[in-house]
Amino acid sequence: MIHSLFLINCSGDIFLEKHWKSVVSQSVCDYFFEAQEKAADVENVPPVISTPHHYLISIYRDKLFFVSVIQTEVPPLFVIEFLHRVADTFQDYFGECSEAAIKDNVVIVYELLEEMLDNGFPLATESNILKELIKPPTILRSVVNSITGSSNVGDTLPTGQLSNIPWRRAGVKYTNNEAYFDVVEEIDAIIDKSGSTVFAEIQGVIDACIKLSGMPDLSLSFMNPRLLDDVSFHPCIRFKRWESERVLSFIPPDGNFRLISYRVSSQNLVAIPVYVKHNISFKENSSCGRFDITIGPKQNMGKTIEGITVTVHMPKVVLNMNLTPTQGSYTFDPVTKVLAWDVGKITPQKLPSLKGLVNLQSGAPKPEENPSLNIQFKIQQLAISGLKVNRLDMYGEKYKPFKGVKYVTKAGKFQVRT
Amino acid sequence: MTDSKYFTTTKKGEIFELKAELNSDKKEKKKEAVKKVIASMTVGKDVSALFPDVVNCMQTDNLELKKLVYLYLMNYAKSQPDMAIMAVNTFVKDCEDPNPLIRALAVRTMGCIRVDKITEYLCEPLRKCLKDEDPYVRKTAAVCVAKLHDINAQLVEDQGFLDTLKDLISDSNPMVVANAVAALSEIAESHPSSNLLDLNPQSINKLLTALNECTEWGQIFILDCLANYMPKDDREAQSICERVTPRLSHANSAVVLSAVKVLMKFMEMLSKDLDYYGTLLKKLAPPLVTLLSAEPELQYVALRNINLIVQKRPEILKHEMKVFFVKYNDPIYVKLEKLDIMIRLASQANIAQVLAELKEYATEVDVDFVRKAVRAIGRCAIKVEQSAERCVSTLLDLIQTKVNYVVQEAIVVIKDIFRKYPNKYESVIATLCENLDSLDEPEARAAMIWIVGEYAERIDNADELLESFLEGFHDESTQVQLQLLTAIVKLFLKKPTETQELVQQVLSLATQDSDNPDLRDRGYIYWRLLSTDPVAAKEVVLAEKPLISEETDLIEPTLLDELICYIGTLASVYHKPPSAFVEGGRGVVHKSLPPRTASSESTESPETAPAGAPSGDQPDVIPAQGDLLGDLLNLDLGPPVSGPPLAASSVQMGAVDLLGGGLDSLMGDEPEGIGDTNFGAPPAAVTTAATPARLGAPISSGLSDLFDLTSGVGTLSGSYVAPKAVWLPAIKAKGLEISGTFTRQVGSISMDLQLTNKALQVMTDFAIQFNRNSFGLAPAAPLQVHAPLSPNQTVELSLPLNTVGSVMKMEPLNNLQVAVKNNIDVFYFSTLYPLHVLFVEDGKMDRQMFLATWKDIPNENEAQFQIRDCPLNTEAASNKLQSSNIFTVAKRSVEGQDMLYQSLKLTNGIWVLAELRIQPGNPSMTLSLKCRAPEVSQHVYQAYETILKN
């Protein structure tokens, strides 16, 4: 099981270590640093590294490395999932998962890690339960604590731990009872030079924010549940009901959580809302090239496409770019060679474009490859797959909750090859 | 107010200050001080000096302070064992606290204090907590048993905690069940032989119920535990699969992958005709694809596993090629894995798409990735024949880009394409030759040189090209030098008239100016060949090469089957069985897929699965190829012949010789009387020596030897004498070939050997020795070879064996490592002996005894096997087995089936009880074996099969 955890920042300082069994010397991280050095980019550090006596399994999150040390045969996914859970918990508790936040709350961090893992076995990883055991820091509480001498640590048994619904804490009370669902769909796509789709799929999630008193039992049904054939569920969902009736039936955790995630991959269902006309060329034996891209709406279901940004990693030989946008603003970083164009909204009357010249290092051979364009956008009030919530019913409690569903479609990994 | 202030106190005297604060009367100050201590501890500062002061703070009602002190204790108790005893009383008290949270906290902390002295005091509180009324305490206590076991295994066993833990598997609370399973799995890992997790249908049912209700982590433990279960029949397998499939929709990817493991394993038992089998295949694809939308680290592990899954069952993901297409901002480790899987999934149906993608990748920025993409194009060409042409033209396009590393990779793969489709794409050679100058990597240079040599007759200026390489001969890497040598010899054999000078030059460079023994030896071989028998040289050097196989990097099937059982573990990431890398290799049990029970046609052969021979524990010692060649050369020094060029002999002499007889006979097509010179080494040996000349031909080493040896398993017993199998081929023993078999006659075991001298030199001074082995087999007499063994002579002898040698457990159990010595060298080989030579004559048990023993041996020791295609009736089978000392104790007929109850005893006194079920008219028999040492069952089964089938 998980032996130890080291938190390492980007400059290679180990700023926190936690050992659940015996102490493993920090020097084990040298193997990690070695691998880090070899992988030019921080993102390219391999997640599983073997050393003579240990295995290091790491994740890279929010500019921090979470490096865990294991000694026996443990499922690596188990460890990686757990590390992500730790990062999620920090995010949840401190609002951000950063070195500063962790150092500011080191005692809570230590207490959390102690509660989350016992001798390498995961213990309490549900945020509802952790919050009962260890209260998240708030300014008010630290003031109160310093006056009254009380502490962050709850002294009750986390009742959820024992019930059959370990994800929900008991005794929840709200004056306003509300249940909100966000249907968020991201389009992952690769579009080739000619504009045809090489690969496209939709990664969807339904995130819920549930603030309901007592033990509400909810059922959520869809207009078109057939769309969902590849789904991952939060443990609270009753799988049998879904199998037989295609209804999501569950007792929700308290607060924010991800209810389901799903994938729609069949080509005809994945609409591509934007197109890009591009003309990027570098002349042989000359130190300049042309750059010209135009973005337009394609299958946008009549909604406005907004929040568009285009990011391009230009080839190394590009020295500078001299461009004119018809809309929005652009920046080019000559060090990282990243061109970022913040477009904003598309108005169909006047399509946004960005044109101009590219200055190349003189004498260098012209780049072999044309860069890929990475596109971000957002469409409010639309789930591009066509998924629609039909109704939400609540059983088990008497009050009448406020209910709401919001839809949004975004670009995920949306790449256009040129 | 944040905790970062605790990090700022770095001044001297800090410890003293903290000490004062810890002993303060004010609660608040105390707590702050403990927080500071903990903060220092987290960043790795040594605050162990404060131990007594911190422990003093332990007796408090403040829960946070208590927790903090516990944290401190866990870290430092080890370094201060005497002090830690002070804490024991508090633990004992806390374990009886009315608040279950405190009870659980106490039992949790107790287990983390890794001090021997303390552990015995903790047994009583732990026992109480294991039976606590509160499940939270029970589940915490379950883990504590595992912790304690890690510290003092004996204590845990003596105190009976393991049994209590086993009882917890039937607990009413699913969380307790999950933790008990987790704890038992961890303990079992250090005790591979113990049957801690003896699973039976009842306990499986309990686990499956708990599976639905416990936490995600618990589900992983339970699923991993389920995967070790061997269902009785396909119906049970199916019902487990049905109950596991809902886990495929879990949000936690580790749960998903563990569920995939269980399904992949149990699927093996389901008949392919079953509707359910098809349903299951369909259900497996979406969750695997979904794993790829997770974080890159998860993707990586998932991809490594998918790589195994597509090799085992390509049908699962055959329609999902597109999800493996690479995005330009994927991390490199994900890109490379995706590429691998793309090739595995490539088929005629999707090759166009794959090629378009690969071509795209070949223009990316990342050099490693581009190289692999180019190689992938070559692999596609080799895998999908219809695409070969398109692949070649894609490669040519890439060569036109003139990007240096792309060109080099392309040439390396084109060489492989030539090997796969000879005489098809040679038209591209001209294009390749244009890029000769840009090649600077050894592999690419070697490949290009190979191409030039191989197709010398079609390249007009082949001699010029090769000559240009020759200029910097000594600066080239060995790979290139060897290739150049071979290529020039090929050229010479093809165009002898124009290239004499060149070949002399390269031979002298290789033999005289080089320090590399491989190169020198290969040089001499060629030289000798050319000078003595150029026709033979032509046959050897220009021999037709075997086509390269479709997929060179497939995992060997038995290993693959084993790895399928390890889906989701580190083994699956490394694609090696755990025995190959888990530290100390302690207690690694080979896992194998269950045999398919339903269908009579077995597509896989599960019997062979556990015999997976990891190359790591390769027992054979093979002399390096270089030495071998050197020795071959020396062998023919015996008969006096017209001077073969020794290292000392001059170039001129060699050259004259070379151009003399050699060339003439080469020019004249008919070899007249050349063959009968007493110079020639036996053809077998020559061919072997020339093996390295074939580019890329894998030099089969010990591995293939091992496989040869397995054929020696089925040998004789009693009346049946199996043919001798070759144990040590001549090429590995400098001309000595040993074949043999094992026999048992009237109570004595012997090893029948046949020694053949295939060298040119007389062999004497034979001796034999065995390594320690599982049953203590040892030679009972020295190896008696009376006369010296002259060339081409064979001697047969029988070596009596006894079983009083030293014993060491081998893997596989019946492995025997043998060393044979003669006047030339010592040679090592290993062989597998059939277990039935160890069945003793007094192996008949009486009925009562048999019945009692059968009942006494626990059920989990029972192993069941199928003996197929053995159309013997009961009588005949019984007689046959009897002659090999397998005795029928009783016979019974039930529902048209005959049951034979049999017993046998091994030389070391192990009894094996068997039940052989024979159905008249059905060629399959079912064999159930029970033995206190279950590891012999597999081999006993093999013995049964051998005896019955011969």
Side-chain angles (χ1 to χ4, degrees), chain A residues 276-306:
Chain A
V276 182
K277 271 205 296 199
H278 50 81
N279 181 12
I280 303 173
S281 59
F282 307 103
K283 274 187 221 125
E284 197 76 59
N285 302 327
S286 113
S287 59
C288 72
R290 288 182 48 77
F291 185 94
D292 180 355
I293 54 176
T294 308
I295 299 184
K298 210 172 164 188
Q299 298 160 288
N300 57 343
M301 319 286 172
K303 307 271 183 192
T304 329
I305 305 169
E306 53 189 27

Coordinates of all heavy atoms in Angstrom, one line a residue, chain A residues 276-306:
Chain A
V276 N -12.6 26.6 -39.1 CA -11.5 27.5 -39.2 C -10.9 27.5 -40.7 O -10.7 26.4 -41.2 CB -10.3 27.1 -38.3 CG1 -9.2 28.1 -38.4 CG2 -10.8 27.0 -36.8
K277 N -10.8 28.6 -41.3 CA -10.2 28.7 -42.6 C -8.7 29.1 -42.3 O -8.6 30.1 -41.6 CB -10.9 29.7 -43.5 CG -12.0 29.1 -44.3 CD -12.2 29.8 -45.6 CE -12.7 31.2 -45.2 NZ -13.4 31.9 -46.3
H278 N -7.8 28.4 -42.8 CA -6.4 28.8 -42.4 C -5.5 28.8 -43.6 O -5.7 28.0 -44.6 CB -5.9 27.9 -41.4 CG -6.1 26.4 -41.7 ND1 -5.2 25.8 -42.6 CD2 -7.0 25.6 -41.4 CE1 -5.6 24.5 -42.7 NE2 -6.7 24.4 -42.0
N279 N -4.6 29.6 -43.6 CA -3.6 29.7 -44.6 C -2.3 30.1 -44.0 O -2.0 31.2 -43.7 CB -4.0 30.6 -45.7 CG -2.9 30.7 -46.9 OD1 -2.1 29.8 -46.9 ND2 -3.0 31.6 -47.7
I280 N -1.5 29.1 -43.6 CA -0.2 29.4 -43.0 C 0.9 28.8 -43.9 O 0.9 27.6 -44.2 CB -0.1 28.7 -41.6 CG1 -1.3 29.1 -40.7 CG2 1.2 29.0 -40.9 CD1 -1.4 28.4 -39.4
S281 N 1.8 29.7 -44.3 CA 2.8 29.2 -45.2 C 4.1 29.9 -44.9 O 4.2 31.0 -44.5 CB 2.4 29.4 -46.6 OG 2.2 30.8 -46.8
F282 N 5.2 29.1 -45.1 CA 6.5 29.7 -44.9 C 7.2 29.6 -46.3 O 7.2 28.5 -46.9 CB 7.3 28.9 -43.9 CG 6.6 28.8 -42.6 CD1 6.0 27.6 -42.2 CD2 6.5 29.9 -41.7 CE1 5.3 27.5 -41.0 CE2 5.8 29.8 -40.5 CZ 5.2 28.6 -40.2
K283 N 7.9 30.7 -46.7 CA 8.5 30.6 -48.0 C 9.9 30.0 -47.9 O 10.6 30.2 -46.9 CB 8.6 32.0 -48.6 CG 7.3 32.4 -49.3 CD 7.5 33.7 -50.1 CE 6.3 34.6 -49.9 NZ 6.5 35.9 -49.4
E284 N 10.3 29.3 -48.9 CA 11.6 28.7 -48.9 C 12.6 29.8 -49.1 O 12.4 30.8 -49.8 CB 11.7 27.8 -50.1 CG 12.8 26.8 -50.1 CD 12.6 25.7 -49.1 OE1 11.6 24.9 -49.3 OE2 13.4 25.5 -48.2
N285 N 13.7 29.8 -48.4 CA 14.8 30.7 -48.5 C 14.4 32.2 -48.3 O 14.8 33.1 -49.0 CB 15.4 30.6 -49.9 CG 15.9 29.2 -50.2 OD1 16.4 28.6 -49.2 ND2 15.8 28.8 -51.4
S286 N 13.5 32.4 -47.4 CA 13.2 33.8 -47.1 C 12.9 33.8 -45.6 O 12.5 32.8 -45.1 CB 12.0 34.3 -48.0 OG 10.9 34.5 -47.1
S287 N 13.0 34.9 -45.0 CA 12.8 34.9 -43.6 C 11.4 35.4 -43.2 O 11.2 35.9 -42.1 CB 13.8 35.8 -42.9 OG 13.7 37.1 -43.5
C288 N 10.4 35.1 -44.0 CA 9.1 35.4 -43.6 C 8.1 34.4 -44.1 O 8.4 33.6 -45.0 CB 8.7 36.9 -44.0 SG 8.4 37.0 -45.8
G289 N 6.9 34.5 -43.5 CA 5.8 33.6 -43.9 C 4.5 34.3 -43.7 O 4.4 35.4 -43.2
R290 N 3.5 33.7 -44.2 CA 2.1 34.3 -44.1 C 1.3 33.5 -43.1 O 1.4 32.3 -42.9 CB 1.4 34.3 -45.4 CG 2.0 35.2 -46.5 CD 1.2 35.2 -47.7 NE -0.3 35.2 -47.5 CZ -0.9 36.4 -47.2 NH1 -0.3 37.5 -47.1 NH2 -2.2 36.3 -47.0
F291 N 0.5 34.3 -42.4 CA -0.4 33.6 -41.4 C -1.8 34.3 -41.6 O -1.9 35.5 -41.6 CB 0.2 33.9 -40.0 CG -0.6 33.2 -38.9 CD1 -0.1 32.0 -38.4 CD2 -1.7 33.8 -38.3 CE1 -0.8 31.4 -37.4 CE2 -2.4 33.2 -37.3 CZ -2.0 31.9 -36.9
D292 N -2.8 33.4 -41.8 CA -4.1 33.9 -42.0 C -5.1 32.9 -41.5 O -5.2 31.8 -42.0 CB -4.2 34.2 -43.5 CG -5.6 34.7 -43.9 OD1 -6.5 34.9 -43.0 OD2 -5.8 35.1 -45.1
I293 N -5.9 33.3 -40.5 CA -6.9 32.3 -40.1 C -8.2 33.1 -39.9 O -8.2 34.3 -39.5 CB -6.6 31.6 -38.8 CG1 -6.2 32.5 -37.6 CG2 -5.5 30.5 -39.0 CD1 -6.0 31.7 -36.3
T294 N -9.3 32.4 -40.2 CA -10.6 33.0 -40.0 C -11.5 32.0 -39.4 O -11.4 30.8 -39.7 CB -11.3 33.3 -41.4 OG1 -10.3 34.1 -42.1 CG2 -12.6 34.1 -41.2
I295 N -12.3 32.4 -38.4 CA -13.2 31.5 -37.7 C -14.6 31.7 -38.0 O -15.0 32.9 -38.1 CB -13.0 31.6 -36.2 CG1 -11.5 31.3 -35.9 CG2 -13.9 30.7 -35.4 CD1 -11.2 31.3 -34.4
G296 N -15.4 30.7 -38.2 CA -16.8 30.9 -38.5 C -17.7 29.9 -37.8 O -17.2 28.8 -37.4
P297 N -18.9 30.1 -37.7 CA -19.8 29.2 -37.0 C -20.2 28.1 -38.0 O -20.4 28.3 -39.2 CB -21.1 30.0 -36.6 CG -21.1 31.1 -37.6 CD -19.7 31.4 -38.1
K298 N -20.4 26.9 -37.5 CA -20.8 25.8 -38.4 C -22.1 25.2 -37.9 O -23.2 25.8 -38.2 CB -19.7 24.7 -38.3 CG -19.6 23.9 -39.6 CD -18.3 23.0 -39.4 CE -18.3 21.9 -40.4 NZ -17.1 21.0 -40.1
Q299 N -22.1 24.2 -37.0 CA -23.3 23.6 -36.5 C -23.5 24.1 -35.1 O -23.2 23.5 -34.2 CB -23.3 22.1 -36.5 CG -23.0 21.5 -37.9 CD -22.5 20.1 -37.8 OE1 -21.3 19.9 -37.4 NE2 -23.3 19.1 -38.0
N300 N -24.1 25.4 -35.0 CA -24.1 25.9 -33.6 C -25.6 25.9 -33.1 O -25.9 26.6 -32.1 CB -23.5 27.3 -33.6 CG -24.2 28.2 -34.6 OD1 -24.9 27.8 -35.5 ND2 -24.0 29.5 -34.4
M301 N -26.5 25.3 -33.7 CA -27.9 25.1 -33.3 C -28.5 26.5 -33.0 O -29.3 26.7 -32.0 CB -27.9 24.3 -32.0 CG -27.0 23.1 -32.0 SD -27.6 21.8 -33.0 CE -26.3 20.7 -33.0
G302 N -28.1 27.5 -33.7 CA -28.7 28.8 -33.5 C -28.2 29.6 -32.2 O -28.8 30.6 -31.9
K303 N -27.2 29.1 -31.5 CA -26.8 29.8 -30.3 C -25.5 30.6 -30.6 O -24.8 30.3 -31.6 CB -26.5 28.7 -29.2 CG -27.6 27.8 -28.9 CD -28.5 28.3 -27.9 CE -29.6 27.2 -27.6 NZ -30.7 27.7 -26.8
T304 N -25.3 31.5 -29.8 CA -24.0 32.3 -29.9 C -22.8 31.5 -29.4 O -22.9 30.9 -28.3 CB -24.1 33.6 -29.1 OG1 -25.5 34.0 -29.1 CG2 -23.3 34.7 -29.7
I305 N -21.8 31.6 -30.2 CA -20.5 31.0 -29.7 C -19.7 32.1 -29.1 O -19.4 33.1 -29.7 CB -19.8 30.3 -30.9 CG1 -20.7 29.3 -31.6 CG2 -18.5 29.6 -30.4 CD1 -20.2 28.8 -32.9
E306 N -19.3 31.9 -27.9 CA -18.5 33.0 -27.2 C -17.3 32.4 -26.5 O -17.0 31.2 -26.6 CB -19.4 33.7 -26.2 CG -20.1 32.7 -25.2 CD -21.1 33.3 -24.4 OE1 -21.7 34.3 -24.8 OE2 -21.3 32.8 -23.3

